Amino acid sequence: MAAALQVLRHLARAPSGPLLLRGPLARLASSMALAEQARQLFESAVGAVLPGPMLQRALSLDPDSGELKVRDRSFQLRQNLYLVGFGKAVLGMAAAAEELLGQHLVQGVISVPKGIRAAMEHSGKQEMLLKPHSRIQVFEGAEDNLPDRDALRAALAIRQLAEGLTADDLLLVLISGGGSALLPAPIPPVTLEEKQTLTKLLAARGATIQELNTIRKALSQLKGGGLAQAAYPAQVVSLILSDVVGDPVEVIASGPTVASIHSVQDCLHILNRYGLRAALPRSVKTVLARADSDPHGPHTCGHVLNVILGSNALALAEAQRQAEALGYRAVVLSTAVQGDVKSVAQFYGLLARVAGARLALPGTGASVEEDERLCELAADLQLPDLQLKEALEAVVGARGPVCLLAGGEPTVQLQGSGKGGRNQELALRVGVELRQWPLGTVDVLFLSGGTDGQDGPTEAAGAWVRPELTSQAAAEGLDVATFLAHNDSHTFFCRFQGGAHLLYTGLTGTNVMDAHFLFLHPQ
């Protein structure tokens, strides 16, 4: 089978000459070629936000004077540098920092995902690993991106290091996506289990990452500026790889080096919205009441410099360049895709129809009703940077294939106990939507992938689909609706065509949310 697919890929890429394949074989070859290009674009997006190169661009050290420059700020290093970090990309960030600043580093503690060192070693990514006799202590925890006892031990070690610093010291804080789960330090008497249960309930009811982090900060010793307070009076430099829409530093990893702007009333409003206030444990009520009556008010973080190293926008910009190099008219739709995965899928499905109609028949387009419905779906999603009009204009002016790119982090409301992640569920739902819209003479492929390489508690980064998905699945005895009802997208894709539609990258060592690619290729 693998050899046959290689032949089909080769034939599909044949630049000219007589038609080599017809009918079903031609469609399969086209499908494989598009899937190969989608994977290439995804890899280029991830490659643009790998931690080492980004950190090296942000830091500059004069080896003679020991002066460290971070953007437009300077710090004097004299055996006074300490390092802490937490997040999915932090192992590689720490390795790059150690390479650049190692002779000045006194001590470090980082909290990284369970199994990440073994995964990096297995995949040969030596640049992501610390030196054999590193001064940086590594804790692995938060299996399946959930806070656990190992992550708690790491958080307490990080707090202990920070609290021992003086005014002569500099603390370098490395932060990336996944950092919130890797830095759990609940305020007593709240237990880790109580905090985790509350977070799970909120996530299952569709709470946004901003809402989740507001609650986490209110119940944490280190989030919401707590780490910066623990390190005072030392200077603090935070280097941040953003996994949050809009790159708000107070939200990424729940803002451990940014003073919280949220009040207890904000927390209660969120809990009321999702019907959880009445069910709060006594410990949570105690901590919220204590914070509400704190006479000192919110902390400030004037001794902190927060720097965004990389983001979803940077990843998509590189994918856009690569798509253009492959001959596509490429447009970035949005880097702020949020909302329920069902609504996002409906938007992408209808977008494929509306854009495909313009591409197939220049000068015409979809029906007025379809255009209006697409605008309504876009308005419902409330994407602040959506370039829908520009994208459709680009499609009209295109003389060949089009690639529409977007990024963000949709949410899934859990209804079943299946196995999957938001990228695989989004792809599967888009596959269903594509079936509803006749796309005529335009080949369509949609891919959704998590830039960290792990979509939910699975080994896949995401998946890709085409309009034929539901009919082909039915021919294999797979009912897509049943899998979706149980949030079981990973099981579906594992069974469908032998798992050929799954996107596998392994842990990438970075994390800037998700990437969505919609390919439209005239036949």
Short mmCIF file of all heavy atoms in Angstrom, two decimals, residues 49-52 54-55 84-94 110-113 116 120 128 142 145 158 173-183 209 213 216 223 227 238-244 247-249 251-257 306-311 409 451-452 508-513:
data_model
loop_
_atom_site.label_atom_id
_atom_site.label_comp_id
_atom_site.label_asym_id
_atom_site.label_seq_id
_atom_site.Cartn_x
_atom_site.Cartn_y
_atom_site.Cartn_z
N VAL A 49 8.45 28.56 14.47
CA VAL A 49 8.29 28.93 15.89
C VAL A 49 8.99 27.93 16.81
O VAL A 49 8.58 27.76 17.96
CB VAL A 49 6.80 29.07 16.25
CG1 VAL A 49 6.21 30.32 15.63
CG2 VAL A 49 5.99 27.84 15.84
N LEU A 50 10.04 27.29 16.32
CA LEU A 50 10.83 26.44 17.20
C LEU A 50 11.57 27.32 18.20
O LEU A 50 12.04 28.41 17.86
CB LEU A 50 11.79 25.59 16.39
CG LEU A 50 11.14 24.49 15.54
CD1 LEU A 50 12.18 23.76 14.72
CD2 LEU A 50 10.36 23.52 16.41
N PRO A 51 11.69 26.87 19.45
CA PRO A 51 12.16 27.75 20.53
C PRO A 51 13.59 28.24 20.39
O PRO A 51 13.87 29.40 20.70
CB PRO A 51 11.99 26.88 21.78
CG PRO A 51 11.88 25.49 21.30
CD PRO A 51 11.26 25.56 19.95
N GLY A 52 14.50 27.38 19.95
CA GLY A 52 15.90 27.79 19.90
C GLY A 52 16.16 29.02 19.06
O GLY A 52 16.67 30.04 19.56
N MET A 54 14.14 31.28 17.95
CA MET A 54 13.43 32.46 18.44
C MET A 54 14.13 33.08 19.65
O MET A 54 14.26 34.30 19.76
CB MET A 54 11.99 32.09 18.80
CG MET A 54 11.10 31.90 17.61
SD MET A 54 9.38 31.73 18.07
CE MET A 54 9.48 30.37 19.19
N LEU A 55 14.59 32.24 20.57
CA LEU A 55 15.27 32.75 21.75
C LEU A 55 16.59 33.41 21.37
O LEU A 55 16.96 34.46 21.92
CB LEU A 55 15.49 31.62 22.74
CG LEU A 55 15.94 32.03 24.14
CD1 LEU A 55 15.18 31.24 25.21
CD2 LEU A 55 17.43 31.84 24.31
N VAL A 84 13.92 29.77 35.48
CA VAL A 84 12.80 28.86 35.69
C VAL A 84 11.96 28.83 34.42
O VAL A 84 12.02 29.75 33.60
CB VAL A 84 11.91 29.27 36.90
CG1 VAL A 84 12.70 29.26 38.19
CG2 VAL A 84 11.27 30.64 36.68
N GLY A 85 11.19 27.79 34.26
CA GLY A 85 10.36 27.70 33.06
C GLY A 85 9.30 26.64 33.19
O GLY A 85 9.42 25.71 33.99
N PHE A 86 8.26 26.77 32.39
CA PHE A 86 7.16 25.82 32.42
C PHE A 86 6.39 25.92 31.11
O PHE A 86 6.06 27.00 30.64
CB PHE A 86 6.23 26.09 33.62
CG PHE A 86 6.17 27.54 34.01
CD1 PHE A 86 5.23 28.40 33.47
CD2 PHE A 86 7.11 28.06 34.88
CE1 PHE A 86 5.20 29.74 33.81
CE2 PHE A 86 7.10 29.40 35.23
CZ PHE A 86 6.14 30.25 34.70
N GLY A 87 6.17 24.76 30.49
CA GLY A 87 5.43 24.75 29.23
C GLY A 87 5.95 23.67 28.29
O GLY A 87 7.00 23.07 28.50
N LYS A 88 5.18 23.44 27.23
CA LYS A 88 5.49 22.38 26.27
C LYS A 88 6.75 22.67 25.46
O LYS A 88 7.40 21.76 24.96
CB LYS A 88 4.30 22.15 25.34
CG LYS A 88 3.05 21.63 26.04
CD LYS A 88 1.90 21.48 25.07
CE LYS A 88 0.65 20.95 25.77
NZ LYS A 88 -0.49 20.80 24.83
N ALA A 89 7.09 23.95 25.31
CA ALA A 89 8.25 24.32 24.50
C ALA A 89 9.47 24.67 25.35
O ALA A 89 10.52 25.03 24.82
CB ALA A 89 7.90 25.51 23.61
N VAL A 90 9.34 24.57 26.66
CA VAL A 90 10.36 25.10 27.55
C VAL A 90 11.64 24.29 27.57
O VAL A 90 12.73 24.84 27.79
CB VAL A 90 9.77 25.28 28.98
CG1 VAL A 90 10.84 25.33 30.05
CG2 VAL A 90 8.93 26.55 29.01
N LEU A 91 11.57 22.99 27.32
CA LEU A 91 12.81 22.20 27.30
C LEU A 91 13.76 22.74 26.23
O LEU A 91 14.95 22.96 26.48
CB LEU A 91 12.49 20.73 27.04
CG LEU A 91 13.70 19.78 27.07
CD1 LEU A 91 14.35 19.78 28.44
CD2 LEU A 91 13.27 18.36 26.69
N GLY A 92 13.26 22.96 25.02
CA GLY A 92 14.09 23.52 23.95
C GLY A 92 14.51 24.95 24.23
O GLY A 92 15.64 25.35 23.90
N MET A 93 13.62 25.74 24.84
CA MET A 93 13.97 27.11 25.20
C MET A 93 15.10 27.12 26.22
O MET A 93 16.05 27.91 26.14
CB MET A 93 12.74 27.84 25.76
CG MET A 93 11.63 28.04 24.74
SD MET A 93 10.09 28.66 25.50
CE MET A 93 10.50 30.38 25.79
N ALA A 94 15.01 26.23 27.22
CA ALA A 94 16.05 26.14 28.25
C ALA A 94 17.38 25.69 27.65
O ALA A 94 18.44 26.19 28.04
CB ALA A 94 15.60 25.20 29.36
N ILE A 110 12.94 23.72 35.67
CA ILE A 110 11.89 23.80 34.65
C ILE A 110 10.90 22.66 34.82
O ILE A 110 11.25 21.58 35.29
CB ILE A 110 12.46 23.80 33.22
CG1 ILE A 110 13.24 22.51 32.92
CG2 ILE A 110 13.32 25.02 32.97
CD1 ILE A 110 13.69 22.40 31.46
N SER A 111 9.66 22.94 34.44
CA SER A 111 8.57 21.97 34.50
C SER A 111 8.07 21.73 33.08
O SER A 111 7.58 22.65 32.42
CB SER A 111 7.43 22.51 35.38
OG SER A 111 6.34 21.61 35.42
N VAL A 112 8.22 20.49 32.60
CA VAL A 112 7.92 20.17 31.21
C VAL A 112 7.03 18.92 31.14
O VAL A 112 6.92 18.18 32.11
CB VAL A 112 9.22 19.95 30.40
CG1 VAL A 112 10.04 21.24 30.35
CG2 VAL A 112 10.05 18.82 30.98
N PRO A 113 6.40 18.68 29.98
CA PRO A 113 5.47 17.55 29.88
C PRO A 113 6.15 16.20 30.11
O PRO A 113 7.30 15.98 29.73
CB PRO A 113 4.94 17.65 28.45
CG PRO A 113 5.12 19.08 28.09
CD PRO A 113 6.37 19.52 28.78
N ILE A 116 8.74 14.10 27.62
CA ILE A 116 9.21 14.92 26.50
C ILE A 116 10.70 14.71 26.22
O ILE A 116 11.13 14.72 25.07
CB ILE A 116 8.90 16.42 26.73
CG1 ILE A 116 9.13 17.20 25.43
CG2 ILE A 116 9.72 17.00 27.89
CD1 ILE A 116 8.61 18.61 25.46
N MET A 120 12.12 13.56 22.59
CA MET A 120 13.09 14.34 21.84
C MET A 120 14.32 13.50 21.51
O MET A 120 14.88 13.59 20.41
CB MET A 120 13.49 15.60 22.62
CG MET A 120 12.37 16.60 22.77
SD MET A 120 11.70 17.13 21.18
CE MET A 120 10.20 17.97 21.71
N MET A 128 17.07 20.19 21.38
CA MET A 128 16.02 20.43 22.36
C MET A 128 16.39 19.91 23.75
O MET A 128 15.60 20.02 24.68
CB MET A 128 14.72 19.74 21.91
CG MET A 128 14.15 20.28 20.63
SD MET A 128 13.28 21.83 20.87
CE MET A 128 12.56 22.07 19.25
N ALA A 142 2.30 16.70 34.46
CA ALA A 142 1.10 17.13 33.71
C ALA A 142 0.83 16.21 32.53
O ALA A 142 0.67 16.65 31.38
CB ALA A 142 1.23 18.58 33.25
N ASN A 145 -1.63 16.84 29.62
CA ASN A 145 -1.88 18.27 29.83
C ASN A 145 -2.81 18.55 31.00
O ASN A 145 -3.55 19.53 31.00
CB ASN A 145 -2.44 18.92 28.56
CG ASN A 145 -2.18 20.42 28.52
OD1 ASN A 145 -1.18 20.90 29.04
ND2 ASN A 145 -3.08 21.16 27.92
N ILE A 158 10.06 25.69 41.91
CA ILE A 158 10.19 26.98 41.24
C ILE A 158 9.93 28.12 42.22
O ILE A 158 10.67 29.12 42.27
CB ILE A 158 9.25 27.05 40.03
CG1 ILE A 158 9.77 26.15 38.90
CG2 ILE A 158 9.06 28.48 39.54
CD1 ILE A 158 8.82 25.97 37.74
N VAL A 173 12.61 33.84 33.07
CA VAL A 173 11.43 32.98 33.11
C VAL A 173 11.04 32.60 31.68
O VAL A 173 10.81 33.47 30.84
CB VAL A 173 10.24 33.68 33.81
CG1 VAL A 173 9.05 32.74 33.90
CG2 VAL A 173 10.64 34.16 35.21
N LEU A 174 11.00 31.31 31.41
CA LEU A 174 10.63 30.80 30.10
C LEU A 174 9.21 30.25 30.16
O LEU A 174 8.91 29.38 30.99
CB LEU A 174 11.60 29.70 29.66
CG LEU A 174 13.09 30.05 29.73
CD1 LEU A 174 13.95 28.86 29.35
CD2 LEU A 174 13.41 31.25 28.85
N ILE A 175 8.33 30.77 29.32
CA ILE A 175 6.91 30.42 29.39
C ILE A 175 6.41 30.03 28.01
O ILE A 175 6.70 30.70 27.01
CB ILE A 175 6.08 31.62 29.91
CG1 ILE A 175 6.56 32.05 31.30
CG2 ILE A 175 4.59 31.26 29.95
CD1 ILE A 175 5.87 33.31 31.82
N SER A 176 5.64 28.95 27.95
CA SER A 176 5.00 28.58 26.68
C SER A 176 3.65 27.93 26.97
O SER A 176 3.28 27.72 28.13
CB SER A 176 5.89 27.62 25.89
OG SER A 176 5.82 26.32 26.42
N GLY A 177 2.94 27.62 25.90
CA GLY A 177 1.66 26.94 26.05
C GLY A 177 1.80 25.66 26.85
O GLY A 177 2.81 24.98 26.78
N GLY A 178 0.77 25.34 27.61
CA GLY A 178 0.83 24.20 28.51
C GLY A 178 1.42 24.55 29.86
O GLY A 178 1.44 23.73 30.77
N GLY A 179 1.89 25.80 29.99
CA GLY A 179 2.52 26.22 31.24
C GLY A 179 1.59 26.26 32.42
O GLY A 179 2.01 26.04 33.56
N SER A 180 0.33 26.51 32.17
CA SER A 180 -0.62 26.59 33.28
C SER A 180 -0.75 25.25 34.00
O SER A 180 -0.72 25.18 35.23
CB SER A 180 -1.98 27.06 32.77
OG SER A 180 -2.80 27.50 33.83
N ALA A 181 -0.88 24.16 33.22
CA ALA A 181 -1.00 22.83 33.82
C ALA A 181 0.30 22.39 34.49
O ALA A 181 0.28 21.56 35.40
CB ALA A 181 -1.40 21.81 32.77
N LEU A 182 1.42 22.95 34.06
CA LEU A 182 2.73 22.56 34.59
C LEU A 182 3.17 23.43 35.77
O LEU A 182 4.27 23.23 36.28
CB LEU A 182 3.78 22.62 33.47
CG LEU A 182 3.67 21.49 32.44
CD1 LEU A 182 4.33 21.88 31.13
CD2 LEU A 182 4.29 20.21 33.00
N LEU A 183 2.32 24.36 36.19
CA LEU A 183 2.67 25.22 37.32
C LEU A 183 1.50 25.30 38.31
O LEU A 183 1.01 26.37 38.65
CB LEU A 183 3.03 26.62 36.82
CG LEU A 183 3.73 27.55 37.82
CD1 LEU A 183 5.17 27.10 38.06
CD2 LEU A 183 3.70 28.99 37.33
N ILE A 209 -10.38 29.73 27.18
CA ILE A 209 -9.11 29.68 27.91
C ILE A 209 -8.95 30.91 28.79
O ILE A 209 -8.37 30.85 29.88
CB ILE A 209 -7.91 29.53 26.94
CG1 ILE A 209 -6.62 29.26 27.72
CG2 ILE A 209 -7.78 30.75 26.05
CD1 ILE A 209 -5.46 28.87 26.87
N ASN A 213 -8.36 30.59 32.79
CA ASN A 213 -7.19 31.18 33.43
C ASN A 213 -7.56 32.20 34.50
O ASN A 213 -6.83 32.39 35.47
CB ASN A 213 -6.29 31.81 32.37
CG ASN A 213 -5.50 30.76 31.61
OD1 ASN A 213 -5.54 29.58 31.95
ND2 ASN A 213 -4.80 31.17 30.58
N ARG A 216 -8.12 30.00 37.45
CA ARG A 216 -6.84 29.44 37.89
C ARG A 216 -6.02 30.47 38.67
O ARG A 216 -5.43 30.17 39.71
CB ARG A 216 -6.03 28.95 36.68
CG ARG A 216 -6.55 27.67 36.05
CD ARG A 216 -5.85 27.45 34.73
NE ARG A 216 -6.23 26.19 34.10
CZ ARG A 216 -6.19 25.96 32.80
NH1 ARG A 216 -5.79 26.91 31.97
NH2 ARG A 216 -6.53 24.78 32.31
N LYS A 223 0.34 31.95 39.75
CA LYS A 223 -0.26 32.56 38.56
C LYS A 223 -0.76 33.97 38.90
O LYS A 223 -0.81 34.36 40.06
CB LYS A 223 -1.39 31.68 38.04
CG LYS A 223 -0.90 30.28 37.61
CD LYS A 223 -2.03 29.43 37.07
CE LYS A 223 -1.49 28.13 36.49
NZ LYS A 223 -1.43 27.06 37.48
N LEU A 227 4.35 34.53 40.71
CA LEU A 227 5.77 34.19 40.57
C LEU A 227 6.63 35.45 40.61
O LEU A 227 7.70 35.46 41.24
CB LEU A 227 6.00 33.43 39.25
CG LEU A 227 7.46 33.09 38.93
CD1 LEU A 227 8.09 32.25 40.03
CD2 LEU A 227 7.56 32.36 37.59
N SER A 238 10.77 37.73 31.37
CA SER A 238 9.97 36.60 30.91
C SER A 238 9.98 36.56 29.39
O SER A 238 9.66 37.54 28.72
CB SER A 238 8.52 36.73 31.39
OG SER A 238 8.42 36.45 32.76
N LEU A 239 10.39 35.41 28.86
CA LEU A 239 10.38 35.17 27.42
C LEU A 239 9.23 34.21 27.13
O LEU A 239 9.21 33.09 27.63
CB LEU A 239 11.71 34.58 26.97
CG LEU A 239 12.95 35.43 27.30
CD1 LEU A 239 14.22 34.73 26.84
CD2 LEU A 239 12.85 36.82 26.67
N ILE A 240 8.29 34.67 26.32
CA ILE A 240 7.00 33.99 26.22
C ILE A 240 6.71 33.56 24.79
O ILE A 240 6.78 34.34 23.85
CB ILE A 240 5.87 34.94 26.70
CG1 ILE A 240 6.17 35.42 28.13
CG2 ILE A 240 4.52 34.26 26.62
CD1 ILE A 240 5.31 36.59 28.57
N LEU A 241 6.38 32.28 24.65
CA LEU A 241 5.90 31.74 23.38
C LEU A 241 4.39 31.62 23.51
O LEU A 241 3.88 30.83 24.30
CB LEU A 241 6.54 30.38 23.13
CG LEU A 241 6.34 29.72 21.78
CD1 LEU A 241 6.85 30.62 20.65
CD2 LEU A 241 7.06 28.39 21.73
N SER A 242 3.67 32.43 22.74
CA SER A 242 2.23 32.58 22.96
C SER A 242 1.41 31.45 22.36
O SER A 242 1.57 31.08 21.20
CB SER A 242 1.75 33.90 22.36
OG SER A 242 0.33 33.99 22.43
N ASP A 243 0.49 30.93 23.17
CA ASP A 243 -0.48 29.94 22.69
C ASP A 243 -1.90 30.44 22.91
O ASP A 243 -2.83 29.66 23.01
CB ASP A 243 -0.30 28.60 23.40
CG ASP A 243 -0.77 28.64 24.84
OD1 ASP A 243 -0.65 29.70 25.48
OD2 ASP A 243 -1.29 27.62 25.34
N VAL A 244 -2.06 31.76 22.96
CA VAL A 244 -3.36 32.35 23.24
C VAL A 244 -3.69 33.39 22.17
O VAL A 244 -2.82 34.15 21.74
CB VAL A 244 -3.39 33.01 24.64
CG1 VAL A 244 -4.75 33.64 24.92
CG2 VAL A 244 -3.04 31.99 25.71
N ASP A 247 -2.28 37.10 21.90
CA ASP A 247 -1.02 37.14 22.65
C ASP A 247 -1.08 38.00 23.92
O ASP A 247 -0.14 38.73 24.23
CB ASP A 247 0.13 37.66 21.76
CG ASP A 247 0.22 36.90 20.45
OD1 ASP A 247 -0.10 35.70 20.44
OD2 ASP A 247 0.63 37.51 19.43
N PRO A 248 -2.16 37.92 24.71
CA PRO A 248 -2.21 38.71 25.95
C PRO A 248 -1.32 38.06 27.02
O PRO A 248 -1.56 36.93 27.44
CB PRO A 248 -3.69 38.65 26.35
CG PRO A 248 -4.18 37.36 25.76
CD PRO A 248 -3.38 37.12 24.52
N VAL A 249 -0.30 38.78 27.48
CA VAL A 249 0.67 38.19 28.41
C VAL A 249 0.03 37.82 29.74
O VAL A 249 0.52 36.93 30.45
CB VAL A 249 1.87 39.13 28.64
CG1 VAL A 249 2.70 39.24 27.38
CG2 VAL A 249 1.40 40.51 29.10
N VAL A 251 -2.70 36.29 30.10
CA VAL A 251 -3.47 35.05 29.94
C VAL A 251 -2.57 33.85 29.70
O VAL A 251 -2.85 32.74 30.18
CB VAL A 251 -4.49 35.19 28.78
CG1 VAL A 251 -5.21 33.88 28.52
CG2 VAL A 251 -5.51 36.28 29.11
N ILE A 252 -1.47 34.04 28.97
CA ILE A 252 -0.59 32.93 28.61
C ILE A 252 -0.05 32.28 29.89
O ILE A 252 0.56 32.94 30.73
CB ILE A 252 0.56 33.41 27.72
CG1 ILE A 252 0.01 34.06 26.45
CG2 ILE A 252 1.47 32.24 27.36
CD1 ILE A 252 1.02 34.89 25.69
N ALA A 253 -0.27 30.97 30.04
CA ALA A 253 0.11 30.22 31.25
C ALA A 253 -0.46 30.86 32.51
O ALA A 253 0.09 30.73 33.60
CB ALA A 253 1.62 30.08 31.36
N SER A 254 -1.56 31.58 32.35
CA SER A 254 -2.24 32.26 33.46
C SER A 254 -1.41 33.39 34.06
O SER A 254 -1.57 33.76 35.23
CB SER A 254 -2.65 31.27 34.55
OG SER A 254 -3.49 30.27 34.02
N GLY A 255 -0.51 33.97 33.26
CA GLY A 255 0.17 35.20 33.64
C GLY A 255 0.96 35.18 34.93
O GLY A 255 0.75 36.05 35.79
N PRO A 256 1.92 34.28 35.12
CA PRO A 256 2.67 34.25 36.39
C PRO A 256 3.56 35.45 36.64
O PRO A 256 3.95 35.71 37.78
CB PRO A 256 3.50 32.96 36.28
CG PRO A 256 3.58 32.66 34.83
CD PRO A 256 2.32 33.17 34.23
N THR A 257 3.89 36.20 35.58
CA THR A 257 4.72 37.39 35.77
C THR A 257 3.97 38.67 35.38
O THR A 257 4.57 39.69 35.07
CB THR A 257 6.02 37.28 34.95
OG1 THR A 257 5.69 37.09 33.56
CG2 THR A 257 6.87 36.12 35.43
N ASN A 306 8.30 41.60 30.19
CA ASN A 306 7.66 40.50 29.49
C ASN A 306 7.85 40.67 27.98
O ASN A 306 7.53 41.73 27.43
CB ASN A 306 6.16 40.46 29.81
CG ASN A 306 5.89 40.03 31.24
OD1 ASN A 306 6.29 38.94 31.65
ND2 ASN A 306 5.23 40.88 32.02
N VAL A 307 8.36 39.63 27.32
CA VAL A 307 8.65 39.69 25.89
C VAL A 307 8.00 38.51 25.18
O VAL A 307 8.20 37.36 25.56
CB VAL A 307 10.18 39.65 25.64
CG1 VAL A 307 10.47 39.66 24.13
CG2 VAL A 307 10.88 40.81 26.33
N ILE A 308 7.19 38.80 24.16
CA ILE A 308 6.61 37.75 23.31
C ILE A 308 7.64 37.34 22.26
O ILE A 308 8.06 38.15 21.43
CB ILE A 308 5.32 38.23 22.61
CG1 ILE A 308 4.23 38.55 23.63
CG2 ILE A 308 4.84 37.19 21.61
CD1 ILE A 308 3.60 37.34 24.27
N LEU A 309 8.05 36.07 22.30
CA LEU A 309 9.04 35.55 21.34
C LEU A 309 8.42 35.12 20.03
O LEU A 309 8.96 35.35 18.95
CB LEU A 309 9.76 34.34 21.94
CG LEU A 309 10.78 34.54 23.04
CD1 LEU A 309 11.41 33.20 23.39
CD2 LEU A 309 11.86 35.52 22.62
N GLY A 310 7.31 34.40 20.12
CA GLY A 310 6.69 33.83 18.92
C GLY A 310 5.21 33.65 19.13
O GLY A 310 4.72 33.63 20.27
N SER A 311 4.50 33.49 18.02
CA SER A 311 3.04 33.43 18.10
C SER A 311 2.48 32.70 16.89
O SER A 311 3.20 32.35 15.94
CB SER A 311 2.46 34.84 18.15
OG SER A 311 2.76 35.52 16.93
N GLU A 409 -7.78 28.60 18.56
CA GLU A 409 -8.02 27.50 19.48
C GLU A 409 -9.51 27.37 19.77
O GLU A 409 -10.01 27.89 20.77
CB GLU A 409 -7.24 27.72 20.78
CG GLU A 409 -7.08 26.48 21.62
CD GLU A 409 -6.04 26.67 22.72
OE1 GLU A 409 -4.86 26.48 22.41
OE2 GLU A 409 -6.42 27.01 23.84
N THR A 451 0.09 22.79 16.87
CA THR A 451 1.51 23.02 16.63
C THR A 451 2.41 22.35 17.66
O THR A 451 3.62 22.23 17.45
CB THR A 451 1.84 24.52 16.58
OG1 THR A 451 1.39 25.14 17.81
CG2 THR A 451 1.16 25.18 15.40
N ASP A 452 1.83 21.88 18.78
CA ASP A 452 2.65 21.16 19.76
C ASP A 452 2.82 19.69 19.39
O ASP A 452 3.61 18.98 20.00
CB ASP A 452 2.06 21.27 21.17
CG ASP A 452 0.65 20.69 21.28
OD1 ASP A 452 0.09 20.28 20.25
OD2 ASP A 452 0.12 20.65 22.40
N THR A 508 6.61 18.44 19.04
CA THR A 508 7.42 19.36 18.23
C THR A 508 8.38 20.20 19.06
O THR A 508 9.34 20.75 18.52
CB THR A 508 6.51 20.32 17.45
OG1 THR A 508 5.75 21.11 18.39
CG2 THR A 508 5.56 19.55 16.54
N GLY A 509 8.10 20.35 20.35
CA GLY A 509 8.93 21.21 21.18
C GLY A 509 8.51 22.66 21.13
O GLY A 509 9.21 23.54 21.62
N THR A 510 7.36 22.94 20.52
CA THR A 510 6.84 24.31 20.51
C THR A 510 5.33 24.26 20.69
O THR A 510 4.74 23.17 20.76
CB THR A 510 7.22 25.04 19.21
OG1 THR A 510 6.93 26.43 19.34
CG2 THR A 510 6.48 24.46 18.00
N ASN A 511 4.69 25.42 20.77
CA ASN A 511 3.24 25.43 20.94
C ASN A 511 2.70 26.85 20.73
O ASN A 511 2.87 27.72 21.59
CB ASN A 511 2.86 24.95 22.35
CG ASN A 511 1.35 24.90 22.56
OD1 ASN A 511 0.59 24.84 21.60
ND2 ASN A 511 0.92 24.93 23.80
N VAL A 512 2.07 27.08 19.58
CA VAL A 512 1.42 28.37 19.31
C VAL A 512 0.00 28.14 18.80
O VAL A 512 -0.42 28.67 17.78
CB VAL A 512 2.23 29.22 18.30
CG1 VAL A 512 3.56 29.69 18.91
CG2 VAL A 512 2.50 28.45 17.01
N MET A 513 -0.73 27.34 19.54
CA MET A 513 -2.12 27.00 19.21
C MET A 513 -2.19 26.12 17.96
O MET A 513 -1.27 25.35 17.68
CB MET A 513 -2.99 28.25 19.07
CG MET A 513 -3.05 29.11 20.31
SD MET A 513 -4.21 30.51 20.16
CE MET A 513 -3.37 31.54 18.96
#
